[in-house]
Amino acid sequence: MRTIALYTTETMADWEYAYLTTQIADAEGLKPGRFRLLLVGDGLEPVHTLGNLPLAPEVDLGALDAVADDGSLAALVIPGGNHYAAGHERLIKAVGHLVDKEIPVAAICGATLLLARAGFLDERRHTSNAASYLEASGYRGGAHYVEAPLVTDRGVTTASSIHAIPFTAEVMRITNLVPDAMVDSWEQVFLNGKEKDYMALMEATVAWQNA
């Protein structure tokens, strides 16, 4: 079974990870035993999301090494929040270990600020809420900023806070949660709401179930 780890921290932005957690559950409902969601925290103290929902990490950040070493860690996903301008040193260290092991790291909104100030975006193409948002970090990667909903470069995915749907779709692709045909049609359904995309999603889902 593969693991998608979700960093669980104070003021984590609910809409930025909820699509993904739902898709993991849906994929497991269709084909059980392939993926699990793991809530990872800097310690095990419960936190409150931006919507004030209580969440408790299942494991400490230190547990990621073992999951990465046994080859089952598919990605670390870091949602946005209001406290990434400072601190999170243990998370930064964990990201460094994962990047070195070529395990995908996906960050959205405020989490991109954390990656910027830690130097992970100095030489990578990336995006965020705005170029000026990252400039405050003092990072050296401004020339690599891309005006796009999301960017993936050498194992690091970044996205704007308003693009949670493309962000979720990209995580689904890089982890192989479901086939690309399902991801593509799911993304179009939630972006456009067209019947033809919904029918394409149903067709791709049935084909995967019967494969």
Side-chain angles (χ1 to χ4, degrees), residues 77-158:
V77 178
I78 313 173
N82 294 337
H83 303 295
Y84 285 117
H88 298 276
E89 287 82 6
R90 294 184 66 224
L91 173 60
I92 291 171
K93 184 176 179 181
V95 169
H97 288 167
L98 298 184
V99 168
D100 288 345
K101 294 176 190 225
E102 299 183 346
I103 294 172
V105 174
I108 184 170
C109 190
T112 63
L113 179 64
L114 174 113
L115 296 187
R117 68 182 181 84
F120 296 111
L121 305 183
D122 285 350
E123 302 296 333
R124 285 182 172 86
R125 294 172 64 252
H126 60 276
T127 192
S128 182
N129 297 336
S132 57
Y133 178 67
L134 296 185
E135 288 171 3
S137 70
Y139 84 132
R140 301 190 302 274
H144 303 293
Y145 187 88
V146 180
E147 292 284 354
L150 69 91
V151 175
T152 296
D153 187 3
R154 286 174 290 160
V156 174
T157 296
T158 50

Side-chain angles (χ1 to χ4, degrees), residues 14-205:
D14 305 72
W15 71 94
E16 294 173 354
Y17 62 85
Y19 289 107
L20 178 62
T21 57
T22 303
Q23 288 307 301
I24 295 171
D26 281 353
E28 275 299 288
L30 292 170
K31 287 198 173 184
R34 297 176 60 252
F35 279 87
R36 67 165 177 157
L37 173 70
L38 183 66
L39 303 182
V40 181
D42 189 353
L44 299 178
E45 288 296 314
V47 302
H48 285 82
T49 71
L50 202 57
N52 205 34
L53 294 176
L55 282 181
E58 299 171 82
V59 299
D60 179 71
L61 276 167
L64 280 182
D65 282 339
V67 186
D69 289 344
D70 70 17
S72 64
L73 184 58
L76 170 63
V77 178
I78 313 173
N82 294 337
H83 303 295
Y84 285 117
H88 298 276
E89 287 82 6
R90 294 184 66 224
L91 173 60
I92 291 171
K93 184 176 179 181
V95 169
H97 288 167
L98 298 184
V99 168
D100 288 345
K101 294 176 190 225
E102 299 183 346
I103 294 172
V105 174
I108 184 170
C109 190
T112 63
L113 179 64
L114 174 113
L115 296 187
R117 68 182 181 84
F120 296 111
L121 305 183
D122 285 350
E123 302 296 333
R124 285 182 172 86
R125 294 172 64 252
H126 60 276
T127 192
S128 182
N129 297 336
S132 57
Y133 178 67
L134 296 185
E135 288 171 3
S137 70
Y139 84 132
R140 301 190 302 274
H144 303 293
Y145 187 88
V146 180
E147 292 284 354
L150 69 91
V151 175
T152 296
D153 187 3
R154 286 174 290 160
V156 174
T157 296
T158 50
S160 160
S161 64
I162 63 172
H163 292 297
I165 292 169
F167 179 72
T168 298
E170 184 73 352
V171 174
M172 292 165 69
R173 290 187 187 100
I174 63 179
T175 59
N176 294 311
L177 179 65
V178 296
D180 283 353
M182 286 178 63
V183 178
D184 295 344
S185 52
W186 175 87
E187 183 176 15
Q188 290 307 309
V189 166
F190 278 83
L191 287 176
N192 303 316
K194 293 183 178 179
E195 182 180 0
K196 69 179 181 64
D197 296 318
Y198 176 77
M199 297 306 296
L201 175 58
M202 293 300 98
E203 182 178 343
T205 301

